[in-house]
Amino acid sequence: MELSKLPLVLLLISHIHSGHTEDRVQTVLGVSPQKWLAEGDPVTLICEVYGNSTGWTFSWYTLNVSSDNRYNFQLLSDSSRGAGGNYTVSSAALKHTGVYVCRAESREPAYNTTYSNTQPVWVSGISPRVSLIISPSRTQHFTSVSLSLSCEDQSNSNRWRVKRYTESLGLEDCSSSLWVSQTGSTCTFIFTSKSDTGVYWCQSESEEKYDPVNITVHLGVILESPVHPVTEGDTLTLRCLYQNSTPTNLRADFYKDGSLIQNQTTEMIISIVLKSHEGFYYCKHSERGESPKSWISVRVFHSESQISVLHTLSSVLAVCPYLLVTVVLIFKCCRMRGTC
């Protein structure tokens, strides 16, 4: 089934499957531990039926949108393994990026629920083959300014399109907004608005999805932070910006996960980033207000030399028990012969 607007899709589906939608039970889809993941992280989609909790089997779908903004639900090929209400991926890959829905079915009596709410899952890779390039290069942006997003791969292909998911409009092509144009793999905002806040990524015609980035459009104070995950050992610089001041950076307080970490400075610098620095950051000015929160991800990167050392150590540790047993046996043998 294909329709042009997601809320209308869900409404019509409800009417199609039952003439008494007010009597239907509701399916609710959630995610654990979180919707933002790194490659290799585990994730579980949890589908619950409100009103009746027993005797249900579940089906799982991804929500896709075509270039003309028409929606369709695609049943997952391994949907049956989530029949118990939990669909678990033990090691998330880039291909698992997407927007999911579920529905439930009972046999006695025969009954199908409507589709659940949408649940996005975003998976970031260490070196994705396609990168979303944002100009200006930050995740938070002012309202009523220009903004450019483009998909770049090693072959300079134009087969990629910028897609987005927003809370207000759901899944759509980047160029759906009134003040946005898309040429090839580049999406250009003439005027940004708060409704442009959402997740943006690169997608091919075959629906491959790469490099999701959470973009926030805000009026007033914003935090200048990196677009992509920071590698452990690198330097991280954060600034607090205000739209109507010259210069735009403010002397402000900086917070991580709700706790003050640096106060009254124009920029916050972490010289050597550690995994423990991962978290939600924002800045606050006593008069101008505070910025939205931005999640800063830290990826741990091992060089080939480090990996070689780890392999050597693991090999030695694996052999050690056998060497120890051999030494003990030789020692016992010597004692029995009286040669030790």
Side-chain angles (χ1 to χ4, degrees):
M1 176 182 295
E2 293 187 347
L3 293 169
S4 58
K5 293 296 178 183
L6 178 58
L8 183 59
V9 170
L10 299 177
L11 178 63
L12 290 180
I13 289 173
S14 299
H15 282 282
I16 289 172
H17 289 284
S18 173
H20 304 283
T21 56
E22 66 276 10
D23 297 329
R24 298 190 66 77
V25 294
Q26 182 182 6
T27 49
V28 178
L29 181 58
V31 64
S32 177
Q34 60 185 7
K35 62 184 178 182
W36 280 96
L37 307 164
E39 277 186 294
D41 287 348
V43 63
T44 299
L45 293 170
I46 304 167
C47 193
E48 297 181 297
V49 179
Y50 285 4
N52 190 337
S53 59
T54 60
W56 297 100
T57 57
F58 297 84
S59 299
W60 307 83
Y61 304 80
T62 54
L63 179 64
N64 298 305
V65 60
S66 62
S67 58
D68 59 350
N69 284 329
R70 301 185 68 85
Y71 291 93
N72 64 82
F73 295 93
Q74 182 176 349
L75 180 68
L76 297 182
S77 58
D78 57 350
S79 180
S80 59
R81 71 186 180 94
N86 288 353
Y87 182 91
T88 300
V89 177
S90 57
S91 180
L94 295 177
K95 67 179 181 180
H96 293 117
T97 285
V99 180
Y100 294 82
V101 296
C102 69
R103 60 185 303 196
E105 176 185 1
S106 66
R107 292 187 177 181
E108 293 182 3
Y111 190 85
N112 291 323
T113 68
T114 59
Y115 289 97
S116 70
N117 57 293
T118 56
Q119 176 59 63
V121 172
W122 314 114
V123 184
S124 298
I126 294 177
S127 299
R129 53 180 286 205
V130 182
S131 296
L132 181 64
I133 307 301
I134 301 173
S135 181
S137 183
R138 56 177 183 251
T139 58
Q140 294 186 15
H141 299 269
F142 297 119
T143 56
S144 303
V145 297
S146 60
L147 174 65
S148 174
L149 293 83
S150 59
C151 297
E152 293 186 5
D153 64 2
Q154 296 177 352
S155 62
N156 294 320
S157 171
N158 286 325
R159 68 188 188 96
W160 300 95
R161 302 277 292 182
V162 179
K163 301 286 184 178
R164 74 177 188 176
Y165 178 86
T166 63
E167 292 296 331
S168 57
L169 297 173
L171 188 64
E172 62 180 359
D173 203 65
C174 178
S175 59
S176 300
S177 296
L178 180 62
W179 300 105
V180 181
S181 63
Q182 182 152 279
T183 304
S185 298
T186 299
C187 188
T188 303
F189 290 75
I190 302 172
F191 296 105
T192 53
S193 67
K194 287 186 176 181
S195 62
D196 293 318
T197 294
V199 178
Y200 294 73
W201 66 93
C202 299
Q203 183 167 318
S204 68
E205 293 178 356
S206 58
E207 297 181 354
E208 297 173 280
K209 305 176 183 72
Y210 285 93
D211 206 14
V213 176
N214 190 32
I215 292 178
T216 302
V217 179
H218 186 67
L219 176 63
V221 177
I222 64 171
L223 179 72
E224 183 180 74
S225 61
V227 170
H228 297 103
V230 183
T231 301
E232 195 173 42
D234 285 355
T235 299
L236 171 65
T237 301
L238 303 177
R239 296 183 181 89
C240 201
L241 306 181
Y242 183 64
Q243 191 164 8
N244 298 319
S245 67
T246 304
T248 56
N249 54 315
L250 298 170
R251 183 172 292 277
D253 300 333
F254 290 83
Y255 295 79
K256 175 183 179 286
D257 298 328
S259 299
L260 178 67
I261 53 175
Q262 197 164 331
N263 63 343
Q264 291 302 299
T265 181
T266 55
E267 63 181 19
M268 191 193 81
I269 300 175
I270 299 175
S271 300
I272 301 176
V273 173
L274 303 174
K275 185 65 175 177
S276 59
H277 289 126
E278 192 170 74
F280 284 101
Y281 289 78
Y282 66 96
C283 63
K284 185 175 182 179
H285 186 268
S286 57
E287 297 178 359
R288 308 296 187 186
E290 66 181 56
S291 72
K293 296 178 177 65
S294 277
W295 172 261
I296 294 181
S297 178
V298 178
R299 60 190 178 193
V300 180
F301 178 75
H302 295 293
S303 66
E304 291 186 7
S305 59
Q306 289 175 312
I307 294 172
S308 177
V309 170
L310 290 173
H311 268 294
T312 303
L313 287 174
S314 62
S315 299
V316 170
L317 290 173
V319 172
C320 277
Y322 300 100
L323 290 175
L324 181 61
V325 170
T326 302
V327 171
V328 170
L329 288 175
I330 292 173
F331 181 74
K332 285 187 175 181
C333 183
C334 287
R335 290 190 63 181
M336 290 175 64
R337 294 180 178 181
T339 58
C340 294

